[in-house]
């Protein structure tokens, strides 16, 4: 088995190093880069606008990685009066470790849909919510909260930008390395990698690889693109991916 990890840095390198330490052949090709988001200067004010019992949602650890240093620099702490919700165990542990406040998250699954099934989010009409996230992304969280009568705003804490590669060159390299297993952790990256590869490589190699993804939604997208050998990890963190890959 020769594994290609497309996770961004540093999580991508960390996974590759762990796999190599266990004797696996693994390589890293990050597909996206992160930079500070346009709304960071407004974060402190948007937090201040929330009342006791209002809701704060963090959709990824990248949001915390940019929001926390910014708040610290401004001398602002995470408000204890809010109710915190996060998608994914890694994000929860990161935030709790920084602020010590309780954070609610789904026991099973790491998607917005899983989060929205929490009983605590059943009756929230009239509340305000702030979502810390990146540019673009899925709208399901905001749309559902609005349907439930919540006044919802965003704070773009980070920006994702695709990293550009030569598709022909990367296709040749992947075949030379004997890559037969791909780790892809978002729909955006799956579509990007599929589009990057020239048609010949898609048919001759790409869709014949085993694909490791982190949600059933991602698996469905992969099937539409032509993959048949798909494994869904039960979480998005490197521990869960290691369990699948080993």
């Amino acid at each position: 088995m020769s594994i290609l990890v497309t996770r961004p840095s540093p999580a991508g390198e960390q996974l590759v190093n762990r796999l190599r330490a266990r004797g696996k052949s693994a390589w890293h090709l990050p597909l996206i880069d992160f930079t500070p988001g346009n709304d960071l200067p407004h974060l402190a004010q948007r937090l201040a606008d929330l009342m006791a019992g209002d809701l704060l949602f963090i959709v990824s650890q990248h949001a915390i990685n940019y929001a926390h240093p910014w708040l610290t620099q401004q001398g602002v702490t995470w408000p204890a009066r809010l109710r915190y919700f996060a998608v994914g165990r890694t994000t929860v542990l990161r935030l709790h470790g920084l602020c010590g406040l309780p954070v609610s998250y789904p026991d099973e699954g790491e998607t917005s849909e899983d989060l929205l099934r929490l009983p605590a989010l059943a009756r929230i009409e009239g509340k305000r919510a702030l979502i810390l996230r990146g540019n673009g992304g899925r709208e399901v969280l905001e749309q559902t909260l609005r349907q439930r009568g919540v006044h919802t705003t965003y704070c773009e804490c980070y920006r994702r930008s695709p990293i550009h590669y030569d598709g022909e060159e990367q296709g040749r390299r992947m075949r030379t390395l004997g890559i037969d297993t791909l780790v892809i952790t978002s729909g955006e990256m799956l579509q990007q990698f599929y589009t990057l590869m020239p048609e010949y490589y898609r048919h001759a190699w790409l869709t014949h690889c085993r694909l490791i993804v982190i949600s059933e939604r991602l698996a469905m997208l992969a099937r539409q693109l032509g993959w048949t050998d798909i494994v869904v990890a039960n979480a998005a963190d490197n521990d869960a991916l290691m369990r699948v890959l080993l």
Side-chain angles (χ1 to χ4, degrees):
M1 183 162 71
S2 191
I3 304 159
L4 181 72
V5 175
T6 63
R7 298 203 84 160
S9 304
E13 285 101 338
Q14 289 161 359
L15 181 56
V16 165
N17 290 340
R18 286 175 66 177
L19 287 165
R20 286 177 175 173
R22 298 293 294 270
K24 298 289 182 188
S25 169
W27 307 87
H28 188 218
L29 187 78
L31 294 177
I32 57 175
D33 231 344
F34 296 105
T35 52
N38 293 338
D39 293 340
L40 270 180
H42 311 297
L43 174 58
Q45 186 55 55
R46 289 187 189 169
L47 287 173
D49 291 340
L50 298 172
M51 311 292 285
D54 280 342
L55 319 172
L56 184 66
F57 292 88
I58 297 108
V59 298
S60 84
Q61 59 179 316
H62 305 295
I64 303 166
N65 292 344
Y66 284 97
H68 185 74
W70 180 268
L71 291 174
T72 304
Q73 195 184 322
Q74 307 295 310
V76 177
T77 55
W78 294 95
R81 67 182 184 281
L82 306 178
R83 294 161 66 194
Y84 287 78
F85 296 88
V87 180
R89 196 170 61 93
T90 310
T91 309
V92 172
L93 294 173
R94 178 107 178 88
L95 181 61
H96 183 71
L98 289 170
C99 69
L101 297 168
V103 185
S104 300
Y105 70 104
D107 290 331
E108 288 185 20
E110 299 209 344
T111 66
S112 297
E113 288 86 348
D114 298 316
L115 183 65
L116 286 160
R117 280 194 282 272
L118 287 177
L121 294 175
R123 286 194 171 82
I124 47 177
E125 192 175 349
K127 294 287 183 192
R128 297 171 75 88
L130 177 64
I131 301 173
L132 307 190
R133 64 171 224 173
N135 57 312
R138 302 174 66 222
E139 307 294 337
V140 66
L141 182 57
E142 184 206 15
Q143 287 169 354
T144 308
L145 290 172
R146 286 179 191 267
Q147 285 164 8
R148 293 180 187 178
V150 178
H151 177 76
T152 309
T153 52
Y154 279 131
C155 184
E156 182 197 287
C157 294
Y158 65 96
R159 292 191 70 78
R160 289 184 301 269
S161 313
I163 300 172
H164 298 288
Y165 295 101
D166 180 313
E168 183 71 39
E169 185 186 309
Q170 290 301 330
R172 273 200 309 275
R173 178 174 169 244
M174 298 305 143
R175 297 296 294 275
T176 305
L177 291 172
I179 298 292
D180 57 11
T181 303
L182 308 171
V183 177
I184 303 185
T185 53
S186 81
E188 179 185 13
M189 290 192 282
L190 181 65
Q191 192 68 61
Q192 184 186 336
F193 196 53
Y194 182 84
T195 307
L196 170 70
M197 286 297 139
E199 198 161 344
Y200 163 75
Y201 287 108
R202 283 183 208 162
H203 295 307
W205 164 73
L206 184 64
T207 55
H208 297 283
C209 288
R210 167 167 289 182
L211 182 64
I212 313 295
V213 296
I214 56 163
S215 71
E216 196 45 59
R217 181 182 62 83
L218 215 47
M220 204 183 306
L221 173 60
R223 284 186 206 104
Q224 288 166 2
L225 291 172
W227 270 277
T228 54
D229 188 357
I230 304 165
V231 180
V232 181
N234 63 2
D237 57 79
N238 281 349
D239 290 345
L241 293 168
M242 281 293 287
R243 283 194 293 273
V244 168
L245 290 162
L246 295 177

